[in-house]
Amino acid sequence: VCSCYHSDVYSSYRIRALISSVLKLRKLISVEDLDGLTKYIKSGDVTPVPTFLKRQLFIKWGQNPTIWIESGTYFGDTTHFLASLSMKVITIEPSLNHYMAAINRFNGNSLVTLKHGISEIELPKILNNLSELELKSLSFWLDGHYMKGKSFQGPQDCPLLDELDTISRFLPRIDNVTILIDDVRNID
């Protein structure tokens, strides 16, 4: 688990509890990284991490080779970058406007598969439809949250816990997994 954003709203304890529950599913982060993440979260600076740093996280933590599954396509910039690193990107976008823009942007790109819908519904479908070979190595970028006025607002502003629950059900079938989480400050 890695966060590119942090929050002073959630206590270190709540963040540790969330990460601890994910760690029970699979060893995803070292104790040192967890302590560093907690310090970062507690620092109180809510400025988003620059894009180039997020990209370094994708390079460092993404499995190779891997299939990336992304919740929240938005304008497709991260999708485009992930496609340059992987054998396939499957991205979920609930906003019809953003989805149609992504269809136009990635038209003809065989590395990118676009799904329209909310991640709570689409992610289980995607994972159910992957072959055993495709399930060998998966990397997740969980970024399907509502951003006041800028993006789609679904039944949940932040479907992260549902996404993690879905992934946890498939862990016995996945050999290698990386889960990166954007905007951890939005966790309810």
Side-chain angles (χ1 to χ4, degrees), residues 88-174:
K88 184 178 193 177
V89 177
I90 304 169
T91 183
I92 305 164
E93 177 53 51
S95 161
L96 183 57
N97 289 339
H98 291 305
Y99 174 75
M100 294 308 294
I103 290 282
N104 289 331
R105 179 173 185 175
F106 297 107
N107 185 26
N109 186 335
S110 62
L111 297 177
V112 176
T113 300
L114 299 156
K115 299 290 183 180
H116 178 246
I118 59 173
S119 61
E120 301 96 313
I121 293 173
E122 295 303 318
L123 184 57
K125 290 181 192 176
I126 290 167
L127 292 172
N128 272 322
N129 288 322
L130 291 177
S131 70
E132 291 303 313
L133 181 61
E134 291 173 315
L135 285 168
K136 294 289 181 196
S137 178
L138 292 177
S139 296
F140 294 88
W141 175 236
L142 304 180
D143 188 20
H145 56 87
Y146 173 62
M147 299 179 300
K148 295 184 176 40
K150 298 180 183 178
S151 62
F152 180 87
Q153 186 172 20
Q156 298 182 72
D157 285 352
C158 184
L160 177 61
L161 296 179
D162 281 346
E163 293 168 344
L164 290 172
D165 183 57
T166 296
I167 294 166
S168 73
R169 291 194 310 268
F170 283 85
L171 282 178
R173 295 176 51 204
I174 304 171

Side-chain angles (χ1 to χ4, degrees), residues 64-93:
N64 191 12
T66 194
I67 293 174
W68 277 95
I69 299 177
E70 171 190 36
S71 62
T73 313
Y74 202 41
F75 294 118
D77 294 338
T78 301
T79 308
H80 179 75
F81 183 75
L82 294 175
S84 74
L85 301 177
S86 62
M87 48 197 219
K88 184 178 193 177
V89 177
I90 304 169
T91 183
I92 305 164
E93 177 53 51

Side-chain angles (χ1 to χ4, degrees), residues 4-56:
C4 291
Y5 291 92
H6 62 277
S7 171
D8 58 353
V9 175
Y10 295 97
S11 69
S12 171
Y13 173 77
R14 286 189 66 192
I15 298 299
R16 277 186 181 271
L18 172 67
I19 293 171
S20 176
S21 67
V22 173
L23 289 174
K24 289 177 187 173
L25 303 174
R26 191 79 138 191
K27 180 166 176 24
L28 301 174
I29 189 170
S30 70
V31 173
E32 295 80 21
D33 287 342
L34 180 58
D35 287 339
L37 176 61
T38 301
K39 287 176 188 170
Y40 185 66
I41 291 166
K42 288 175 68 176
S43 72
D45 181 8
V46 294
T47 305
V49 171
T51 300
F52 76 92
L53 289 178
K54 286 187 204 180
R55 290 180 175 182
Q56 291 303 310

